[in-house]
Amino acid sequence: MEKIEKAHEAEYGVKPDVIISAPGRFHLIGEHSWFCRDKTLSMAINLPVYVAISARPDSSLRCYFTELDDRKRANLQTMKFKKEDRWFNAVKAMLCGMISSGFSCKGMNITIHSKILPSAGFGITTAIKTAVLYGCRELFAKQCSDEMLLGCFVLGNKQFLGTATYYADVFTSMYAQPDTCLLTNYETKDYELFPFNFDHISVLLTDAKVPRISVWNEESVRSPENILLLGELKNRKRNAYGGWVYQESGSELVEVLSVVSEDMRKRLLSVIREHHCVLEAVEGLKENNFEKFAHAVNKSHDNMRDLYTISCPEIDWLTKRVLEFDLVSSLTPKACARITGKGFGRCTYTMLKNSYVERYRNKLTEYERIFGFKPACYEIQSAGGTKIL
């Protein structure tokens, strides 16, 4: 906090009126199957973004990202999307959402501080957005409720960026609590917290530094036709969490998916199996059963690799090394690892015994020697949501 306060004063000559902290985030399971009114399990983490804001007497917007040493300018009355603005577009989008929702905003000086850059993932862009909204509410719109703030988020994404809002991103950024995972239900547009009480387990995020090259368009899975097909395979089940499950096998499954290509059939089957992985992981959290939780995570990575096909050899090498630790049975694993985020490279998360952390880090040295990419590894803890400091 002291660092960003000094940086803000040095940049603008005034102290900030408000400082906000927003957590990083990663998704454990379900970030690729949410679109069919499903669920995503996420965790907020202690890789925070700090945003300092001071009000200006005019309508000018000035923004400084300390780690990038990058400065941007705009005017609230004439803000436009510019591809070259990258991270600054996220700031402008949220201000657009506030103004379009009827809230009056004045000009601002904004300073952003984050050790992790937005390009790495880990929810940094969402954290910037949420922190800017919280700061604007504190300075200009204290009557704005959380529900209204969420509306500003959705509107800014839609009108300024032309993108949908992933509620798991926003709920985790706003409402997470320490020592919990957050489950977003896209059917009800609500969330629930579950305890993450595995004290013997360390959690590590690894940026494998593999360039992200998409080999197929994920939007193709989310077509209305595919959503209708998946809807035909939903079965109401009173004792299942959320009240329904997918039919995973049988002649009806074969018949329903027979109308799509083989690649699409695999991806829709992946969506079905991912739903069951989410439910199993939630059961593991509720029962404080790490082996059940880890089994769901490992099964989910296999799913992402073999059916959804968004993994790559480098990521698979990292996850396989984790499973070699203390392996007794694949049904009762002592560790787990999975690709996380958009896929097609980049990041994994790993959960393993505290005593194995150093062994895992040694494997990263071997990884660099084999593949030529120098990974970054962060030992993290769960964190609470966005707050005014």
PDB file of all heavy atoms in Angstrom, residues 303-331:
ATOM      1  N   ASN A 303      -9.505 -34.630 -19.048  1.00  0.00           N
ATOM      2  CA  ASN A 303     -10.618 -34.195 -19.874  1.00  0.00           C
ATOM      3  C   ASN A 303     -10.214 -33.039 -20.796  1.00  0.00           C
ATOM      4  O   ASN A 303     -10.493 -33.044 -22.001  1.00  0.00           O
ATOM      5  CB  ASN A 303     -11.746 -33.763 -18.937  1.00  0.00           C
ATOM      6  CG  ASN A 303     -13.078 -33.640 -19.620  1.00  0.00           C
ATOM      7  OD1 ASN A 303     -13.313 -34.246 -20.638  1.00  0.00           O
ATOM      8  ND2 ASN A 303     -13.954 -32.820 -19.058  1.00  0.00           N
ATOM      9  N   MET A 304      -9.538 -32.044 -20.235  1.00  0.00           N
ATOM     10  CA  MET A 304      -9.081 -30.894 -21.012  1.00  0.00           C
ATOM     11  C   MET A 304      -8.056 -31.307 -22.066  1.00  0.00           C
ATOM     12  O   MET A 304      -8.014 -30.749 -23.166  1.00  0.00           O
ATOM     13  CB  MET A 304      -8.470 -29.838 -20.088  1.00  0.00           C
ATOM     14  CG  MET A 304      -9.445 -29.187 -19.114  1.00  0.00           C
ATOM     15  SD  MET A 304     -10.723 -28.183 -19.912  1.00  0.00           S
ATOM     16  CE  MET A 304     -12.115 -29.314 -19.850  1.00  0.00           C
ATOM     17  N   ARG A 305      -7.237 -32.294 -21.722  1.00  0.00           N
ATOM     18  CA  ARG A 305      -6.183 -32.750 -22.629  1.00  0.00           C
ATOM     19  C   ARG A 305      -6.725 -33.624 -23.754  1.00  0.00           C
ATOM     20  O   ARG A 305      -6.430 -33.400 -24.934  1.00  0.00           O
ATOM     21  CB  ARG A 305      -5.136 -33.532 -21.825  1.00  0.00           C
ATOM     22  CG  ARG A 305      -3.975 -34.097 -22.647  1.00  0.00           C
ATOM     23  CD  ARG A 305      -3.196 -35.102 -21.821  1.00  0.00           C
ATOM     24  NE  ARG A 305      -4.015 -36.275 -21.508  1.00  0.00           N
ATOM     25  CZ  ARG A 305      -3.889 -36.985 -20.382  1.00  0.00           C
ATOM     26  NH1 ARG A 305      -3.018 -36.642 -19.455  1.00  0.00           N
ATOM     27  NH2 ARG A 305      -4.662 -38.034 -20.187  1.00  0.00           N
ATOM     28  N   ASP A 306      -7.529 -34.628 -23.415  1.00  0.00           N
ATOM     29  CA  ASP A 306      -7.911 -35.667 -24.367  1.00  0.00           C
ATOM     30  C   ASP A 306      -9.171 -35.356 -25.158  1.00  0.00           C
ATOM     31  O   ASP A 306      -9.284 -35.755 -26.320  1.00  0.00           O
ATOM     32  CB  ASP A 306      -8.109 -37.005 -23.634  1.00  0.00           C
ATOM     33  CG  ASP A 306      -6.854 -37.465 -22.921  1.00  0.00           C
ATOM     34  OD1 ASP A 306      -5.751 -37.098 -23.376  1.00  0.00           O
ATOM     35  OD2 ASP A 306      -6.979 -38.182 -21.914  1.00  0.00           O
ATOM     36  N   LEU A 307     -10.130 -34.653 -24.539  1.00  0.00           N
ATOM     37  CA  LEU A 307     -11.412 -34.406 -25.193  1.00  0.00           C
ATOM     38  C   LEU A 307     -11.580 -32.948 -25.623  1.00  0.00           C
ATOM     39  O   LEU A 307     -11.992 -32.673 -26.747  1.00  0.00           O
ATOM     40  CB  LEU A 307     -12.563 -34.819 -24.279  1.00  0.00           C
ATOM     41  CG  LEU A 307     -12.651 -36.312 -23.949  1.00  0.00           C
ATOM     42  CD1 LEU A 307     -13.800 -36.574 -22.972  1.00  0.00           C
ATOM     43  CD2 LEU A 307     -12.842 -37.138 -25.215  1.00  0.00           C
ATOM     44  N   TYR A 308     -11.277 -32.020 -24.735  1.00  0.00           N
ATOM     45  CA  TYR A 308     -11.444 -30.611 -25.077  1.00  0.00           C
ATOM     46  C   TYR A 308     -10.252 -30.082 -25.872  1.00  0.00           C
ATOM     47  O   TYR A 308     -10.337 -29.052 -26.526  1.00  0.00           O
ATOM     48  CB  TYR A 308     -11.660 -29.790 -23.812  1.00  0.00           C
ATOM     49  CG  TYR A 308     -12.509 -28.559 -24.016  1.00  0.00           C
ATOM     50  CD1 TYR A 308     -13.851 -28.671 -24.375  1.00  0.00           C
ATOM     51  CD2 TYR A 308     -11.977 -27.287 -23.867  1.00  0.00           C
ATOM     52  CE1 TYR A 308     -14.634 -27.547 -24.572  1.00  0.00           C
ATOM     53  CE2 TYR A 308     -12.757 -26.151 -24.053  1.00  0.00           C
ATOM     54  CZ  TYR A 308     -14.084 -26.293 -24.410  1.00  0.00           C
ATOM     55  OH  TYR A 308     -14.868 -25.176 -24.614  1.00  0.00           O
ATOM     56  N   THR A 309      -9.134 -30.768 -25.768  1.00  0.00           N
ATOM     57  CA  THR A 309      -7.894 -30.523 -26.537  1.00  0.00           C
ATOM     58  C   THR A 309      -7.400 -29.079 -26.469  1.00  0.00           C
ATOM     59  O   THR A 309      -7.195 -28.427 -27.480  1.00  0.00           O
ATOM     60  CB  THR A 309      -8.063 -30.949 -28.014  1.00  0.00           C
ATOM     61  OG1 THR A 309      -9.121 -30.203 -28.636  1.00  0.00           O
ATOM     62  CG2 THR A 309      -8.359 -32.434 -28.115  1.00  0.00           C
ATOM     63  N   ILE A 310      -7.200 -28.601 -25.222  1.00  0.00           N
ATOM     64  CA  ILE A 310      -6.634 -27.258 -25.067  1.00  0.00           C
ATOM     65  C   ILE A 310      -5.302 -27.288 -24.322  1.00  0.00           C
ATOM     66  O   ILE A 310      -4.772 -26.249 -23.945  1.00  0.00           O
ATOM     67  CB  ILE A 310      -7.596 -26.303 -24.320  1.00  0.00           C
ATOM     68  CG1 ILE A 310      -7.933 -26.841 -22.929  1.00  0.00           C
ATOM     69  CG2 ILE A 310      -8.841 -26.044 -25.138  1.00  0.00           C
ATOM     70  CD1 ILE A 310      -8.613 -25.824 -22.041  1.00  0.00           C
ATOM     71  N   SER A 311      -4.765 -28.477 -24.082  1.00  0.00           N
ATOM     72  CA  SER A 311      -3.479 -28.568 -23.414  1.00  0.00           C
ATOM     73  C   SER A 311      -2.363 -28.639 -24.462  1.00  0.00           C
ATOM     74  O   SER A 311      -2.602 -28.489 -25.665  1.00  0.00           O
ATOM     75  CB  SER A 311      -3.440 -29.785 -22.480  1.00  0.00           C
ATOM     76  OG  SER A 311      -2.300 -29.734 -21.640  1.00  0.00           O
ATOM     77  N   CYS A 312      -1.138 -28.864 -24.010  1.00  0.00           N
ATOM     78  CA  CYS A 312       0.009 -28.956 -24.910  1.00  0.00           C
ATOM     79  C   CYS A 312       1.075 -29.808 -24.229  1.00  0.00           C
ATOM     80  O   CYS A 312       1.001 -30.059 -23.017  1.00  0.00           O
ATOM     81  CB  CYS A 312       0.545 -27.562 -25.235  1.00  0.00           C
ATOM     82  SG  CYS A 312       1.164 -26.658 -23.794  1.00  0.00           S
ATOM     83  N   PRO A 313       2.099 -30.287 -24.942  1.00  0.00           N
ATOM     84  CA  PRO A 313       3.093 -31.185 -24.339  1.00  0.00           C
ATOM     85  C   PRO A 313       3.785 -30.604 -23.114  1.00  0.00           C
ATOM     86  O   PRO A 313       4.063 -31.329 -22.152  1.00  0.00           O
ATOM     87  CB  PRO A 313       4.085 -31.419 -25.480  1.00  0.00           C
ATOM     88  CG  PRO A 313       3.272 -31.237 -26.726  1.00  0.00           C
ATOM     89  CD  PRO A 313       2.295 -30.149 -26.390  1.00  0.00           C
ATOM     90  N   GLU A 314       4.071 -29.301 -23.131  1.00  0.00           N
ATOM     91  CA  GLU A 314       4.772 -28.691 -22.000  1.00  0.00           C
ATOM     92  C   GLU A 314       3.910 -28.722 -20.737  1.00  0.00           C
ATOM     93  O   GLU A 314       4.390 -29.059 -19.645  1.00  0.00           O
ATOM     94  CB  GLU A 314       5.150 -27.237 -22.340  1.00  0.00           C
ATOM     95  CG  GLU A 314       6.155 -27.101 -23.468  1.00  0.00           C
ATOM     96  CD  GLU A 314       5.502 -27.071 -24.850  1.00  0.00           C
ATOM     97  OE1 GLU A 314       4.279 -27.341 -24.952  1.00  0.00           O
ATOM     98  OE2 GLU A 314       6.207 -26.759 -25.821  1.00  0.00           O
ATOM     99  N   ILE A 315       2.647 -28.365 -20.881  1.00  0.00           N
ATOM    100  CA  ILE A 315       1.728 -28.385 -19.747  1.00  0.00           C
ATOM    101  C   ILE A 315       1.540 -29.812 -19.239  1.00  0.00           C
ATOM    102  O   ILE A 315       1.547 -30.077 -18.029  1.00  0.00           O
ATOM    103  CB  ILE A 315       0.368 -27.774 -20.152  1.00  0.00           C
ATOM    104  CG1 ILE A 315       0.517 -26.283 -20.467  1.00  0.00           C
ATOM    105  CG2 ILE A 315      -0.681 -28.000 -19.056  1.00  0.00           C
ATOM    106  CD1 ILE A 315       0.849 -25.405 -19.297  1.00  0.00           C
ATOM    107  N   ASP A 316       1.382 -30.749 -20.163  1.00  0.00           N
ATOM    108  CA  ASP A 316       1.170 -32.142 -19.767  1.00  0.00           C
ATOM    109  C   ASP A 316       2.390 -32.718 -19.064  1.00  0.00           C
ATOM    110  O   ASP A 316       2.270 -33.547 -18.156  1.00  0.00           O
ATOM    111  CB  ASP A 316       0.818 -32.991 -20.990  1.00  0.00           C
ATOM    112  CG  ASP A 316      -0.517 -32.599 -21.601  1.00  0.00           C
ATOM    113  OD1 ASP A 316      -1.362 -32.057 -20.857  1.00  0.00           O
ATOM    114  OD2 ASP A 316      -0.710 -32.816 -22.806  1.00  0.00           O
ATOM    115  N   TRP A 317       3.583 -32.287 -19.468  1.00  0.00           N
ATOM    116  CA  TRP A 317       4.801 -32.728 -18.793  1.00  0.00           C
ATOM    117  C   TRP A 317       4.797 -32.275 -17.333  1.00  0.00           C
ATOM    118  O   TRP A 317       5.122 -33.037 -16.429  1.00  0.00           O
ATOM    119  CB  TRP A 317       6.026 -32.173 -19.521  1.00  0.00           C
ATOM    120  CG  TRP A 317       7.341 -32.729 -19.055  1.00  0.00           C
ATOM    121  CD1 TRP A 317       8.017 -33.790 -19.575  1.00  0.00           C
ATOM    122  CD2 TRP A 317       8.153 -32.241 -17.965  1.00  0.00           C
ATOM    123  NE1 TRP A 317       9.186 -34.007 -18.882  1.00  0.00           N
ATOM    124  CE2 TRP A 317       9.298 -33.065 -17.881  1.00  0.00           C
ATOM    125  CE3 TRP A 317       8.024 -31.199 -17.050  1.00  0.00           C
ATOM    126  CZ2 TRP A 317      10.295 -32.878 -16.935  1.00  0.00           C
ATOM    127  CZ3 TRP A 317       9.018 -31.010 -16.105  1.00  0.00           C
ATOM    128  CH2 TRP A 317      10.134 -31.838 -16.046  1.00  0.00           C
ATOM    129  N   LEU A 318       4.404 -31.031 -17.102  1.00  0.00           N
ATOM    130  CA  LEU A 318       4.372 -30.500 -15.733  1.00  0.00           C
ATOM    131  C   LEU A 318       3.350 -31.243 -14.870  1.00  0.00           C
ATOM    132  O   LEU A 318       3.641 -31.610 -13.731  1.00  0.00           O
ATOM    133  CB  LEU A 318       4.037 -29.004 -15.757  1.00  0.00           C
ATOM    134  CG  LEU A 318       5.133 -28.059 -16.255  1.00  0.00           C
ATOM    135  CD1 LEU A 318       4.589 -26.649 -16.413  1.00  0.00           C
ATOM    136  CD2 LEU A 318       6.321 -28.058 -15.293  1.00  0.00           C
ATOM    137  N   THR A 319       2.163 -31.459 -15.403  1.00  0.00           N
ATOM    138  CA  THR A 319       1.137 -32.130 -14.599  1.00  0.00           C
ATOM    139  C   THR A 319       1.518 -33.580 -14.314  1.00  0.00           C
ATOM    140  O   THR A 319       1.252 -34.093 -13.230  1.00  0.00           O
ATOM    141  CB  THR A 319      -0.232 -32.077 -15.303  1.00  0.00           C
ATOM    142  OG1 THR A 319      -0.125 -32.696 -16.592  1.00  0.00           O
ATOM    143  CG2 THR A 319      -0.701 -30.643 -15.472  1.00  0.00           C
ATOM    144  N   LYS A 320       2.157 -34.233 -15.265  1.00  0.00           N
ATOM    145  CA  LYS A 320       2.559 -35.629 -15.065  1.00  0.00           C
ATOM    146  C   LYS A 320       3.607 -35.753 -13.970  1.00  0.00           C
ATOM    147  O   LYS A 320       3.600 -36.706 -13.177  1.00  0.00           O
ATOM    148  CB  LYS A 320       3.082 -36.215 -16.371  1.00  0.00           C
ATOM    149  CG  LYS A 320       3.326 -37.720 -16.301  1.00  0.00           C
ATOM    150  CD  LYS A 320       3.716 -38.274 -17.665  1.00  0.00           C
ATOM    151  CE  LYS A 320       3.928 -39.790 -17.577  1.00  0.00           C
ATOM    152  NZ  LYS A 320       4.303 -40.342 -18.911  1.00  0.00           N
ATOM    153  N   ARG A 321       4.518 -34.792 -13.896  1.00  0.00           N
ATOM    154  CA  ARG A 321       5.553 -34.845 -12.844  1.00  0.00           C
ATOM    155  C   ARG A 321       4.920 -34.775 -11.454  1.00  0.00           C
ATOM    156  O   ARG A 321       5.364 -35.420 -10.516  1.00  0.00           O
ATOM    157  CB  ARG A 321       6.537 -33.680 -13.018  1.00  0.00           C
ATOM    158  CG  ARG A 321       7.312 -33.664 -14.326  1.00  0.00           C
ATOM    159  CD  ARG A 321       8.324 -34.800 -14.476  1.00  0.00           C
ATOM    160  NE  ARG A 321       7.774 -36.065 -14.853  1.00  0.00           N
ATOM    161  CZ  ARG A 321       7.362 -36.378 -16.103  1.00  0.00           C
ATOM    162  NH1 ARG A 321       7.402 -35.481 -17.071  1.00  0.00           N
ATOM    163  NH2 ARG A 321       6.905 -37.574 -16.366  1.00  0.00           N
ATOM    164  N   VAL A 322       3.874 -33.980 -11.329  1.00  0.00           N
ATOM    165  CA  VAL A 322       3.199 -33.851 -10.038  1.00  0.00           C
ATOM    166  C   VAL A 322       2.590 -35.176  -9.614  1.00  0.00           C
ATOM    167  O   VAL A 322       2.667 -35.576  -8.447  1.00  0.00           O
ATOM    168  CB  VAL A 322       2.108 -32.756 -10.106  1.00  0.00           C
ATOM    169  CG1 VAL A 322       1.293 -32.721  -8.822  1.00  0.00           C
ATOM    170  CG2 VAL A 322       2.736 -31.395 -10.374  1.00  0.00           C
ATOM    171  N   LEU A 323       1.993 -35.869 -10.567  1.00  0.00           N
ATOM    172  CA  LEU A 323       1.315 -37.123 -10.242  1.00  0.00           C
ATOM    173  C   LEU A 323       2.297 -38.224  -9.863  1.00  0.00           C
ATOM    174  O   LEU A 323       1.892 -39.247  -9.306  1.00  0.00           O
ATOM    175  CB  LEU A 323       0.451 -37.569 -11.425  1.00  0.00           C
ATOM    176  CG  LEU A 323      -0.622 -36.571 -11.865  1.00  0.00           C
ATOM    177  CD1 LEU A 323      -1.527 -37.191 -12.911  1.00  0.00           C
ATOM    178  CD2 LEU A 323      -1.445 -36.084 -10.684  1.00  0.00           C
ATOM    179  N   GLU A 324       3.570 -38.030 -10.141  1.00  0.00           N
ATOM    180  CA  GLU A 324       4.575 -39.022  -9.758  1.00  0.00           C
ATOM    181  C   GLU A 324       4.920 -38.945  -8.270  1.00  0.00           C
ATOM    182  O   GLU A 324       5.521 -39.865  -7.728  1.00  0.00           O
ATOM    183  CB  GLU A 324       5.847 -38.822 -10.589  1.00  0.00           C
ATOM    184  CG  GLU A 324       5.660 -39.144 -12.060  1.00  0.00           C
ATOM    185  CD  GLU A 324       6.854 -38.741 -12.913  1.00  0.00           C
ATOM    186  OE1 GLU A 324       7.756 -38.064 -12.392  1.00  0.00           O
ATOM    187  OE2 GLU A 324       6.866 -39.101 -14.105  1.00  0.00           O
ATOM    188  N   PHE A 325       4.529 -37.859  -7.617  1.00  0.00           N
ATOM    189  CA  PHE A 325       4.787 -37.716  -6.185  1.00  0.00           C
ATOM    190  C   PHE A 325       3.812 -38.576  -5.392  1.00  0.00           C
ATOM    191  O   PHE A 325       2.598 -38.391  -5.457  1.00  0.00           O
ATOM    192  CB  PHE A 325       4.637 -36.262  -5.731  1.00  0.00           C
ATOM    193  CG  PHE A 325       5.644 -35.320  -6.348  1.00  0.00           C
ATOM    194  CD1 PHE A 325       5.266 -34.049  -6.737  1.00  0.00           C
ATOM    195  CD2 PHE A 325       6.957 -35.705  -6.548  1.00  0.00           C
ATOM    196  CE1 PHE A 325       6.176 -33.175  -7.301  1.00  0.00           C
ATOM    197  CE2 PHE A 325       7.886 -34.840  -7.111  1.00  0.00           C
ATOM    198  CZ  PHE A 325       7.496 -33.575  -7.492  1.00  0.00           C
ATOM    199  N   ASP A 326       4.332 -39.502  -4.641  1.00  0.00           N
ATOM    200  CA  ASP A 326       3.517 -40.246  -3.661  1.00  0.00           C
ATOM    201  C   ASP A 326       2.317 -40.938  -4.302  1.00  0.00           C
ATOM    202  O   ASP A 326       1.243 -41.022  -3.706  1.00  0.00           O
ATOM    203  CB  ASP A 326       3.030 -39.279  -2.572  1.00  0.00           C
ATOM    204  CG  ASP A 326       2.884 -39.968  -1.216  1.00  0.00           C
ATOM    205  OD1 ASP A 326       3.310 -41.128  -1.100  1.00  0.00           O
ATOM    206  OD2 ASP A 326       2.343 -39.339  -0.292  1.00  0.00           O
ATOM    207  N   LEU A 327       2.497 -41.453  -5.526  1.00  0.00           N
ATOM    208  CA  LEU A 327       1.379 -42.080  -6.222  1.00  0.00           C
ATOM    209  C   LEU A 327       1.134 -43.483  -5.683  1.00  0.00           C
ATOM    210  O   LEU A 327       1.994 -44.346  -5.730  1.00  0.00           O
ATOM    211  CB  LEU A 327       1.654 -42.143  -7.731  1.00  0.00           C
ATOM    212  CG  LEU A 327       0.560 -42.802  -8.585  1.00  0.00           C
ATOM    213  CD1 LEU A 327      -0.731 -41.998  -8.483  1.00  0.00           C
ATOM    214  CD2 LEU A 327       1.016 -42.903 -10.034  1.00  0.00           C
ATOM    215  N   VAL A 328      -0.038 -43.707  -5.144  1.00  0.00           N
ATOM    216  CA  VAL A 328      -0.464 -45.021  -4.682  1.00  0.00           C
ATOM    217  C   VAL A 328      -1.519 -45.576  -5.632  1.00  0.00           C
ATOM    218  O   VAL A 328      -1.439 -46.688  -6.123  1.00  0.00           O
ATOM    219  CB  VAL A 328      -1.025 -44.951  -3.244  1.00  0.00           C
ATOM    220  CG1 VAL A 328      -1.514 -46.323  -2.804  1.00  0.00           C
ATOM    221  CG2 VAL A 328       0.043 -44.432  -2.287  1.00  0.00           C
ATOM    222  N   SER A 329      -2.524 -44.753  -5.922  1.00  0.00           N
ATOM    223  CA  SER A 329      -3.595 -45.128  -6.834  1.00  0.00           C
ATOM    224  C   SER A 329      -4.161 -43.870  -7.462  1.00  0.00           C
ATOM    225  O   SER A 329      -4.271 -42.833  -6.804  1.00  0.00           O
ATOM    226  CB  SER A 329      -4.704 -45.876  -6.082  1.00  0.00           C
ATOM    227  OG  SER A 329      -5.875 -45.949  -6.864  1.00  0.00           O
ATOM    228  N   SER A 330      -4.519 -43.961  -8.746  1.00  0.00           N
ATOM    229  CA  SER A 330      -5.111 -42.799  -9.418  1.00  0.00           C
ATOM    230  C   SER A 330      -6.463 -42.437  -8.830  1.00  0.00           C
ATOM    231  O   SER A 330      -6.955 -41.321  -9.005  1.00  0.00           O
ATOM    232  CB  SER A 330      -5.259 -43.082 -10.916  1.00  0.00           C
ATOM    233  OG  SER A 330      -6.110 -44.194 -11.126  1.00  0.00           O
ATOM    234  N   LEU A 331      -7.097 -43.382  -8.110  1.00  0.00           N
ATOM    235  CA  LEU A 331      -8.394 -43.124  -7.492  1.00  0.00           C
ATOM    236  C   LEU A 331      -8.270 -42.400  -6.161  1.00  0.00           C
ATOM    237  O   LEU A 331      -9.220 -41.782  -5.688  1.00  0.00           O
ATOM    238  CB  LEU A 331      -9.156 -44.441  -7.303  1.00  0.00           C
ATOM    239  CG  LEU A 331      -9.515 -45.201  -8.590  1.00  0.00           C
ATOM    240  CD1 LEU A 331     -10.195 -46.521  -8.244  1.00  0.00           C
ATOM    241  CD2 LEU A 331     -10.410 -44.347  -9.483  1.00  0.00           C
TER     242      LEU A 331
END
